Amino acid sequence: MMGKEVFSDVLLSVSLFLLNPLLIIALIVAVLLGYFRVKRERRSFRVRMLPGLTELRRIISESWLHAIVLSILISGIGLVVDAGWLVLFCILSILALLTFNYKLTSPVYFATIAFFSLYAINYFAKDFGFRGWEVAAIDFFGELTITISVITGMLLVAEGLLIYKYGHRDNSSHLIQTKRGLQAGVFKAKRLWLLPVLFLVPGEMIGTYLPYWPQFTVGESAFTFVPVPLVIGFSQIARASFPENVFPQIGRAIAFIGVVVIAAGVAAMWMPVLGWAALLAGVAGRMIVSVVASIRERRGGYVLAPQSKGVVIAGVIPDSPGEKMGLLPGERIQSVNGLPVHNEKELYDAIQVNAAHCRLQVVDKDGEVRLMQQVVYRHDHHRLGILVVQ
């Protein structure tokens, strides 16, 4: 009988997690991200680079390890958060997702706004409470200040590592019109990661409704494990630099800010005001990184700009002949089968001269010329499988 009750509680808890509004909205938004990306690519090149559900497939596959590490650290160190802060954190995450502006979906913003919102509620409505939770019970210069700042730093480190490793992969490119009326290509990264993380909450927040839900006591205090789907978003345009050059730099800078926030949070054990300073510094640092990166890209030229000689590659479709040949965005095809090419039509006309043994003269990003050869069959998608700027 007890086994059935445990199984029933586990099943119910999993259902509650899967029905979390933040989780559902994040999955829907991931589908919409893919839909709008495909529309943008087809508008520029008449073909899409990746399937529309790519963002949905990667929303957890790239971040599950980070979620496990965060859960182990939070639980192992014993970083206890307030239930009210956790609820506000999720509400702010949902609101940010609905804006579709993923420069705003850094967890440092949610954590900091949620903390100071609780302080404002405590200041203006000290008697406010809900189902046993009371804002007056929060010590804003005590343990919560330390744990929130340390957890925020950890989330920043996770965000930085995700951007460093995945931010530059398979970026979508599209065409824009320059001030001179010419077409140029830009890379647009718009990523969304979902991290199912276990938080420690004081009291019997879940145990009251699910008696066998994991919880423990220390002295007279009870603590509960609460699974929460955290979202981390990344949005950045690269036009003066290639994504593999600029996005890892952004990731490293964010991770460094996270380490600084963690250090300040630990120091708050002796000087609580440092916890407040850590949160504010994290917000300021994350904003500065984003703004500086955007300004640098806007001031520079276009790495995907038309050239007088050759055709510039803006993107390469996965599993295409172009990818098998090792072609990369930013490289320039000067000739095909011995014929010079200047636009997409000349490129594919030249391929037909000898498609069975298509020979390309390619200038790479460093200006070095190399010769490449590949069989191009008639059934190959978009023939060579490259997107070009012309």
Side-chain angles (χ1 to χ4, degrees), residues 115-134:
F115 178 81
F116 286 104
S117 295
L118 284 179
Y119 181 78
I121 294 173
N122 179 67
Y123 185 82
F124 293 104
K126 197 163 188 175
D127 297 330
F128 180 80
F130 182 77
R131 291 193 174 184
W133 175 84
E134 296 179 354

Side-chain angles (χ1 to χ4, degrees), residues 2-173:
M2 181 178 175
K4 290 184 179 180
E5 290 179 351
V6 172
F7 177 76
S8 177
D9 282 353
V10 171
L11 186 62
L12 180 57
S13 63
V14 171
S15 301
L16 290 174
F17 175 80
L18 295 176
L19 292 176
N20 187 305
L22 179 55
L23 174 64
I24 295 172
I25 292 173
L27 295 178
I28 293 174
V29 166
V31 174
L32 293 176
L33 278 179
Y35 171 76
F36 290 124
R37 173 184 53 77
V38 168
K39 284 192 65 176
R40 185 174 61 247
E41 290 171 349
R42 284 181 171 162
R43 187 163 55 246
S44 292
F45 306 108
R46 303 183 301 280
V47 64
R48 54 100 172 135
M49 282 188 60
L50 295 169
L53 295 179
T54 299
E55 284 78 1
L56 179 63
R57 287 199 297 267
R58 292 178 175 175
I59 192 170
I60 292 182
S61 64
E62 295 178 345
S63 59
W64 64 269
L65 182 59
H66 300 74
I68 292 175
V69 172
L70 283 171
S71 298
I72 293 173
L73 288 175
I74 291 173
S75 303
I77 299 174
L79 299 175
V80 181
V81 301
D82 180 76
W85 176 84
L86 206 54
V87 171
L88 285 176
F89 188 102
C90 292
I91 292 174
L92 291 168
S93 300
I94 292 174
L95 294 177
L97 279 176
L98 295 177
T99 67
F100 281 87
N101 182 357
Y102 298 128
K103 289 182 181 293
L104 303 176
T105 49
S106 172
V108 67
Y109 301 142
F110 311 146
T112 303
I113 294 174
F115 178 81
F116 286 104
S117 295
L118 284 179
Y119 181 78
I121 294 173
N122 179 67
Y123 185 82
F124 293 104
K126 197 163 188 175
D127 297 330
F128 180 80
F130 182 77
R131 291 193 174 184
W133 175 84
E134 296 179 354
V135 70
I138 301 175
D139 183 2
F140 292 95
F141 291 93
E143 182 180 351
L144 184 66
T145 305
I146 301 168
T147 56
I148 296 301
S149 54
V150 172
I151 289 175
T152 300
M154 290 180 178
L155 294 176
L156 273 172
V157 171
E159 178 185 1
L161 293 177
L162 285 168
I163 294 173
Y164 176 83
K165 187 173 183 180
Y166 300 110
H168 65 283
R169 295 189 181 181
D170 299 323
N171 289 135
S172 172
S173 55

Side-chain angles (χ1 to χ4, degrees), residues 97-353:
L97 279 176
L98 295 177
T99 67
F100 281 87
N101 182 357
Y102 298 128
K103 289 182 181 293
L104 303 176
T105 49
S106 172
V108 67
Y109 301 142
F110 311 146
T112 303
I113 294 174
F115 178 81
F116 286 104
S117 295
L118 284 179
Y119 181 78
I121 294 173
N122 179 67
Y123 185 82
F124 293 104
K126 197 163 188 175
D127 297 330
F128 180 80
F130 182 77
R131 291 193 174 184
W133 175 84
E134 296 179 354
V135 70
I138 301 175
D139 183 2
F140 292 95
F141 291 93
E143 182 180 351
L144 184 66
T145 305
I146 301 168
T147 56
I148 296 301
S149 54
V150 172
I151 289 175
T152 300
M154 290 180 178
L155 294 176
L156 273 172
V157 171
E159 178 185 1
L161 293 177
L162 285 168
I163 294 173
Y164 176 83
K165 187 173 183 180
Y166 300 110
H168 65 283
R169 295 189 181 181
D170 299 323
N171 289 135
S172 172
S173 55
H174 65 279
L175 301 177
I176 64 171
Q177 193 169 27
T178 67
K179 294 180 180 179
R180 297 181 179 180
L182 302 175
Q183 278 193 332
V186 298
F187 299 99
K188 186 170 186 177
K190 206 160 191 178
R191 306 297 296 272
L192 190 65
W193 294 289
L194 187 66
L195 292 79
V197 176
L198 277 177
F199 283 92
L200 277 175
V201 176
E204 300 179 354
M205 182 179 179
I206 294 182
T208 302
Y209 307 98
L210 304 174
Y212 297 101
W213 183 259
Q215 54 183 303
F216 61 93
T217 59
V218 177
E220 297 181 355
S221 302
F223 300 93
T224 303
F225 289 101
V226 180
V228 177
L230 303 184
V231 291
I232 296 177
F234 175 62
S235 178
Q236 186 68 47
I237 289 178
R239 73 178 200 184
S241 309
F242 290 103
E244 60 268 25
N245 295 331
V246 64
F247 293 166
Q249 292 180 1
I250 294 175
R252 283 195 296 268
I254 294 173
F256 175 76
I257 294 171
V259 172
V260 173
V261 172
I262 292 173
V266 173
M269 295 173 64
W270 297 277
M271 189 179 295
V273 71
L274 287 177
W276 290 46
L279 293 174
L280 295 175
V283 169
R286 182 62 184 88
M287 291 177 65
I288 289 172
V289 168
S290 182
V291 170
V292 169
S294 297
I295 291 175
R296 285 180 178 174
E297 290 303 307
R298 289 174 184 171
R299 285 182 176 175
Y302 293 89
V303 291
L304 298 181
Q307 303 289 328
S308 57
K309 293 183 179 180
V311 175
V312 177
I313 301 173
V316 181
I317 297 173
D319 300 321
S320 66
E323 185 182 61
K324 295 173 184 176
M325 295 173 74
L327 297 176
L328 299 171
E331 295 185 326
R332 177 164 47 94
I333 301 175
Q334 284 196 146
S335 66
V336 178
N337 292 325
L339 300 175
V341 295
H342 303 88
N343 54 52
E344 189 175 23
K345 183 178 184 305
E346 291 183 0
L347 171 69
Y348 286 106
D349 286 345
I351 290 175
Q352 300 310 310
V353 172

